[in-house]
Short mmCIF file of all heavy atoms in Angstrom, two decimals:
data_model
loop_
_atom_site.label_atom_id
_atom_site.label_comp_id
_atom_site.label_asym_id
_atom_site.label_seq_id
_atom_site.Cartn_x
_atom_site.Cartn_y
_atom_site.Cartn_z
N ARG A 1 0.82 -1.20 -0.02
CA ARG A 1 0.01 -0.02 0.01
C ARG A 1 0.91 1.28 0.02
O ARG A 1 0.54 2.26 -0.66
CB ARG A 1 -0.91 0.00 1.20
CG ARG A 1 -1.88 1.16 1.29
CD ARG A 1 -2.69 1.16 2.62
NE ARG A 1 -3.43 -0.07 2.77
CZ ARG A 1 -4.06 -0.43 3.80
NH1 ARG A 1 -4.06 0.39 4.92
NH2 ARG A 1 -4.77 -1.52 3.89
N ARG A 2 1.96 1.30 0.72
CA ARG A 2 2.80 2.50 0.96
C ARG A 2 3.92 2.64 0.08
O ARG A 2 4.40 3.75 -0.23
CB ARG A 2 3.21 2.54 2.41
CG ARG A 2 2.10 2.56 3.42
CD ARG A 2 2.62 2.52 4.80
NE ARG A 2 1.49 2.42 5.81
CZ ARG A 2 0.92 3.49 6.31
NH1 ARG A 2 1.28 4.68 5.95
NH2 ARG A 2 -0.06 3.32 7.21
N SER A 3 4.48 1.54 -0.47
CA SER A 3 5.72 1.59 -1.27
C SER A 3 5.27 1.38 -2.79
O SER A 3 4.97 0.18 -3.17
CB SER A 3 6.70 0.54 -0.85
OG SER A 3 7.79 0.48 -1.74
N LYS A 4 5.41 2.41 -3.59
CA LYS A 4 5.07 2.22 -5.03
C LYS A 4 6.03 1.33 -5.70
O LYS A 4 5.68 0.53 -6.58
CB LYS A 4 5.07 3.62 -5.68
CG LYS A 4 4.69 3.66 -7.13
CD LYS A 4 4.66 4.99 -7.72
CE LYS A 4 4.19 4.98 -9.20
NZ LYS A 4 4.99 4.13 -10.01
N ARG A 5 7.30 1.38 -5.28
CA ARG A 5 8.34 0.52 -5.92
C ARG A 5 8.05 -0.96 -5.69
O ARG A 5 8.18 -1.85 -6.54
CB ARG A 5 9.73 0.90 -5.37
CG ARG A 5 10.82 0.21 -6.01
CD ARG A 5 12.22 0.77 -5.49
NE ARG A 5 13.36 0.11 -6.15
CZ ARG A 5 14.61 0.37 -5.84
NH1 ARG A 5 14.88 1.26 -4.90
NH2 ARG A 5 15.56 -0.25 -6.41
N PHE A 6 7.67 -1.30 -4.43
CA PHE A 6 7.33 -2.69 -4.14
C PHE A 6 6.06 -3.18 -4.85
O PHE A 6 6.00 -4.26 -5.37
CB PHE A 6 7.08 -2.81 -2.60
CG PHE A 6 6.82 -4.26 -2.10
CD1 PHE A 6 7.78 -5.16 -2.24
CD2 PHE A 6 5.59 -4.60 -1.61
CE1 PHE A 6 7.55 -6.45 -1.77
CE2 PHE A 6 5.30 -5.81 -1.15
CZ PHE A 6 6.27 -6.78 -1.29
N ALA A 7 5.04 -2.25 -4.85
CA ALA A 7 3.83 -2.61 -5.65
C ALA A 7 4.07 -2.79 -7.08
O ALA A 7 3.55 -3.74 -7.71
CB ALA A 7 2.76 -1.57 -5.40
N ASP A 8 4.94 -1.99 -7.70
CA ASP A 8 5.28 -2.12 -9.13
C ASP A 8 6.07 -3.40 -9.33
O ASP A 8 5.87 -4.12 -10.38
CB ASP A 8 6.11 -0.89 -9.55
CG ASP A 8 5.40 0.38 -9.57
OD1 ASP A 8 4.15 0.33 -9.40
OD2 ASP A 8 5.97 1.43 -9.79
N TRP A 9 6.96 -3.79 -8.40
CA TRP A 9 7.71 -5.05 -8.52
C TRP A 9 6.75 -6.23 -8.45
O TRP A 9 6.85 -7.17 -9.20
CB TRP A 9 8.67 -5.16 -7.39
CG TRP A 9 9.42 -6.44 -7.36
CD1 TRP A 9 10.56 -6.80 -8.16
CD2 TRP A 9 9.25 -7.56 -6.51
NE1 TRP A 9 10.91 -8.05 -7.86
CE2 TRP A 9 10.18 -8.60 -6.83
CE3 TRP A 9 8.31 -7.83 -5.46
CZ2 TRP A 9 10.18 -9.77 -6.19
CZ3 TRP A 9 8.36 -9.07 -4.85
CH2 TRP A 9 9.26 -10.05 -5.19
N LEU A 10 5.72 -6.21 -7.58
CA LEU A 10 4.69 -7.26 -7.45
C LEU A 10 3.90 -7.42 -8.84
O LEU A 10 3.64 -8.54 -9.23
CB LEU A 10 3.77 -6.99 -6.32
CG LEU A 10 4.24 -7.21 -4.94
CD1 LEU A 10 3.23 -6.89 -3.91
CD2 LEU A 10 4.68 -8.65 -4.77
N ASP A 11 3.63 -6.24 -9.45
CA ASP A 11 2.96 -6.30 -10.68
C ASP A 11 3.77 -6.97 -11.75
O ASP A 11 3.18 -7.74 -12.60
CB ASP A 11 2.60 -4.85 -11.17
CG ASP A 11 1.45 -4.25 -10.36
OD1 ASP A 11 0.68 -5.04 -9.70
OD2 ASP A 11 1.24 -3.00 -10.40
N GLY A 12 5.07 -6.69 -11.75
CA GLY A 12 5.95 -7.39 -12.75
C GLY A 12 6.00 -8.85 -12.43
O GLY A 12 6.07 -9.74 -13.42
N VAL A 13 6.10 -9.30 -11.19
CA VAL A 13 6.12 -10.73 -10.79
C VAL A 13 4.86 -11.33 -11.24
O VAL A 13 4.91 -12.55 -11.72
CB VAL A 13 6.39 -10.88 -9.27
CG1 VAL A 13 6.24 -12.29 -8.83
CG2 VAL A 13 7.83 -10.35 -8.93
N ALA A 14 3.71 -10.76 -11.07
CA ALA A 14 2.43 -11.40 -11.42
C ALA A 14 2.40 -11.75 -12.84
O ALA A 14 1.75 -12.79 -13.20
CB ALA A 14 1.30 -10.35 -11.01
N LEU A 15 2.98 -10.97 -13.71
CA LEU A 15 3.03 -11.30 -15.20
C LEU A 15 3.91 -12.44 -15.49
O LEU A 15 3.73 -13.05 -16.55
CB LEU A 15 3.46 -10.09 -15.95
CG LEU A 15 2.49 -8.91 -15.95
CD1 LEU A 15 3.12 -7.57 -16.48
CD2 LEU A 15 1.14 -9.19 -16.70
N LYS A 16 4.88 -12.79 -14.59
CA LYS A 16 5.82 -13.85 -14.88
C LYS A 16 5.47 -15.21 -14.19
O LYS A 16 6.21 -16.15 -14.33
CB LYS A 16 7.26 -13.38 -14.47
CG LYS A 16 7.73 -12.19 -15.21
CD LYS A 16 9.05 -11.71 -14.71
CE LYS A 16 9.60 -10.45 -15.34
NZ LYS A 16 10.76 -9.90 -14.79
N LEU A 17 4.40 -15.20 -13.45
CA LEU A 17 3.95 -16.43 -12.82
C LEU A 17 3.61 -17.50 -13.84
O LEU A 17 3.08 -17.26 -14.89
CB LEU A 17 2.76 -16.22 -11.92
CG LEU A 17 2.97 -15.33 -10.69
CD1 LEU A 17 1.65 -15.06 -10.03
CD2 LEU A 17 3.99 -16.05 -9.74
N PRO A 18 4.06 -18.78 -13.54
CA PRO A 18 3.96 -19.84 -14.58
C PRO A 18 2.51 -20.05 -15.20
O PRO A 18 2.38 -20.05 -16.37
CB PRO A 18 4.37 -21.08 -13.82
CG PRO A 18 5.17 -20.62 -12.73
CD PRO A 18 4.65 -19.28 -12.31
N ILE A 19 1.50 -20.12 -14.39
CA ILE A 19 0.13 -20.32 -14.88
C ILE A 19 -0.71 -19.12 -14.81
O ILE A 19 -1.40 -18.82 -15.77
CB ILE A 19 -0.52 -21.47 -13.99
CG1 ILE A 19 0.35 -22.75 -14.10
CG2 ILE A 19 -1.93 -21.75 -14.46
CD1 ILE A 19 -0.11 -23.87 -13.22
N LEU A 20 -0.64 -18.42 -13.65
CA LEU A 20 -1.53 -17.20 -13.50
C LEU A 20 -1.11 -16.03 -14.32
O LEU A 20 -1.87 -15.11 -14.55
CB LEU A 20 -1.56 -16.85 -12.01
CG LEU A 20 -2.28 -17.85 -11.09
CD1 LEU A 20 -2.12 -17.40 -9.64
CD2 LEU A 20 -3.74 -18.03 -11.43
N GLY A 21 0.23 -16.02 -14.71
CA GLY A 21 0.75 -14.90 -15.49
C GLY A 21 0.02 -14.61 -16.73
O GLY A 21 -0.22 -13.49 -17.11
N THR A 22 -0.38 -15.71 -17.47
CA THR A 22 -1.09 -15.59 -18.72
C THR A 22 -2.53 -14.96 -18.49
O THR A 22 -2.98 -14.09 -19.29
CB THR A 22 -1.26 -16.91 -19.38
OG1 THR A 22 0.02 -17.54 -19.53
CG2 THR A 22 -1.97 -16.82 -20.74
N VAL A 23 -3.12 -15.40 -17.36
CA VAL A 23 -4.47 -14.91 -17.03
C VAL A 23 -4.42 -13.38 -16.78
O VAL A 23 -5.17 -12.57 -17.12
CB VAL A 23 -5.07 -15.63 -15.87
CG1 VAL A 23 -6.50 -15.10 -15.52
CG2 VAL A 23 -5.20 -17.14 -16.19
N VAL A 24 -3.32 -12.98 -15.92
CA VAL A 24 -3.16 -11.54 -15.59
C VAL A 24 -2.91 -10.72 -16.81
O VAL A 24 -3.47 -9.65 -17.02
CB VAL A 24 -2.02 -11.43 -14.58
CG1 VAL A 24 -1.72 -9.97 -14.31
CG2 VAL A 24 -2.35 -12.10 -13.26
N HIS A 25 -2.07 -11.28 -17.71
CA HIS A 25 -1.71 -10.61 -18.99
C HIS A 25 -2.98 -10.33 -19.82
O HIS A 25 -3.25 -9.20 -20.30
CB HIS A 25 -0.66 -11.39 -19.80
CG HIS A 25 -0.50 -10.83 -21.19
ND1 HIS A 25 -1.18 -11.35 -22.28
CD2 HIS A 25 0.35 -9.91 -21.68
CE1 HIS A 25 -0.81 -10.72 -23.40
NE2 HIS A 25 0.12 -9.88 -23.02
N ASP A 26 -3.81 -11.42 -20.02
CA ASP A 26 -5.00 -11.27 -20.83
C ASP A 26 -5.97 -10.28 -20.22
O ASP A 26 -6.70 -9.54 -20.89
CB ASP A 26 -5.65 -12.65 -21.02
CG ASP A 26 -4.85 -13.56 -21.94
OD1 ASP A 26 -3.95 -13.02 -22.58
OD2 ASP A 26 -5.22 -14.73 -22.00
N ALA A 27 -6.03 -10.31 -18.85
CA ALA A 27 -6.92 -9.38 -18.14
C ALA A 27 -6.52 -7.95 -18.35
O ALA A 27 -7.36 -7.09 -18.53
CB ALA A 27 -7.02 -9.75 -16.67
N VAL A 28 -5.23 -7.68 -18.35
CA VAL A 28 -4.71 -6.33 -18.49
C VAL A 28 -5.02 -5.83 -19.93
O VAL A 28 -5.42 -4.71 -20.16
CB VAL A 28 -3.22 -6.28 -18.19
CG1 VAL A 28 -2.65 -4.89 -18.59
CG2 VAL A 28 -2.92 -6.56 -16.76
N ILE A 29 -4.83 -6.76 -20.93
CA ILE A 29 -5.06 -6.37 -22.33
C ILE A 29 -6.59 -6.09 -22.51
O ILE A 29 -6.90 -5.11 -23.20
CB ILE A 29 -4.59 -7.47 -23.23
CG1 ILE A 29 -3.11 -7.75 -23.18
CG2 ILE A 29 -5.00 -7.16 -24.66
CD1 ILE A 29 -2.31 -6.52 -23.54
N ALA A 30 -7.44 -6.96 -21.89
CA ALA A 30 -8.87 -6.65 -21.97
C ALA A 30 -9.25 -5.36 -21.34
O ALA A 30 -10.08 -4.61 -21.89
CB ALA A 30 -9.70 -7.85 -21.26
N ARG A 31 -8.68 -5.01 -20.25
CA ARG A 31 -9.04 -3.83 -19.54
C ARG A 31 -8.46 -2.54 -20.30
O ARG A 31 -9.20 -1.58 -20.43
CB ARG A 31 -8.34 -3.79 -18.09
CG ARG A 31 -8.86 -2.67 -17.22
CD ARG A 31 -8.54 -2.88 -15.78
NE ARG A 31 -9.10 -1.92 -14.95
CZ ARG A 31 -8.97 -1.93 -13.62
NH1 ARG A 31 -8.38 -2.94 -13.00
NH2 ARG A 31 -9.56 -1.02 -12.86
N PHE A 32 -7.33 -2.70 -20.85
CA PHE A 32 -6.74 -1.65 -21.70
C PHE A 32 -7.66 -1.33 -22.89
O PHE A 32 -8.04 -0.19 -23.17
CB PHE A 32 -5.40 -1.95 -22.21
CG PHE A 32 -4.87 -1.15 -23.35
CD1 PHE A 32 -4.33 0.09 -23.15
CD2 PHE A 32 -4.92 -1.62 -24.67
CE1 PHE A 32 -3.87 0.88 -24.19
CE2 PHE A 32 -4.45 -0.89 -25.74
CZ PHE A 32 -3.97 0.43 -25.49
N SER A 33 -8.05 -2.40 -23.63
CA SER A 33 -8.91 -2.26 -24.75
C SER A 33 -10.26 -1.69 -24.42
O SER A 33 -10.80 -0.85 -25.08
CB SER A 33 -9.05 -3.61 -25.45
OG SER A 33 -7.86 -4.18 -25.81
N ARG A 34 -10.86 -2.22 -23.31
CA ARG A 34 -12.24 -1.74 -22.92
C ARG A 34 -12.14 -0.27 -22.46
O ARG A 34 -13.08 0.51 -22.84
CB ARG A 34 -12.73 -2.67 -21.75
CG ARG A 34 -14.11 -2.27 -21.25
CD ARG A 34 -15.17 -2.53 -22.22
NE ARG A 34 -15.23 -4.00 -22.59
CZ ARG A 34 -15.89 -4.47 -23.62
NH1 ARG A 34 -16.58 -3.70 -24.41
NH2 ARG A 34 -15.88 -5.80 -23.84
N THR A 35 -11.19 0.11 -21.65
CA THR A 35 -11.07 1.49 -21.23
C THR A 35 -10.88 2.46 -22.37
O THR A 35 -11.53 3.49 -22.47
CB THR A 35 -9.94 1.63 -20.16
OG1 THR A 35 -10.11 0.64 -19.17
CG2 THR A 35 -9.94 3.00 -19.58
N LEU A 36 -9.88 2.14 -23.23
CA LEU A 36 -9.63 3.04 -24.35
C LEU A 36 -10.86 3.10 -25.30
O LEU A 36 -11.21 4.23 -25.81
CB LEU A 36 -8.37 2.55 -25.10
CG LEU A 36 -7.83 3.49 -26.17
CD1 LEU A 36 -7.50 4.87 -25.55
CD2 LEU A 36 -6.52 2.83 -26.80
N SER A 37 -11.48 2.03 -25.61
CA SER A 37 -12.72 1.99 -26.40
C SER A 37 -13.78 2.86 -25.86
O SER A 37 -14.39 3.69 -26.54
CB SER A 37 -13.17 0.56 -26.58
OG SER A 37 -14.49 0.54 -27.21
#
């Protein structure tokens, strides 16, 4: 909550997780497309 650097590092780790990383990646792409649209 308080450290932006730590939170950013966690976001990077989430994308590299073996199984869940793909789900997180697709969710981010879906959110980007939906928001910009």
Side-chain angles (χ1 to χ4, degrees):
R1 183 184 302 172
R2 298 175 185 273
S3 172
K4 184 178 183 301
R5 188 174 179 181
F6 182 68
D8 293 352
W9 177 78
L10 286 177
D11 285 342
V13 169
L15 292 168
K16 297 175 183 176
L17 292 175
I19 300 173
L20 294 174
T22 304
V23 180
V24 174
H25 170 267
D26 289 350
V28 172
I29 298 300
R31 192 166 186 176
F32 164 79
S33 305
R34 181 67 62 194
T35 306
L36 190 56
S37 171

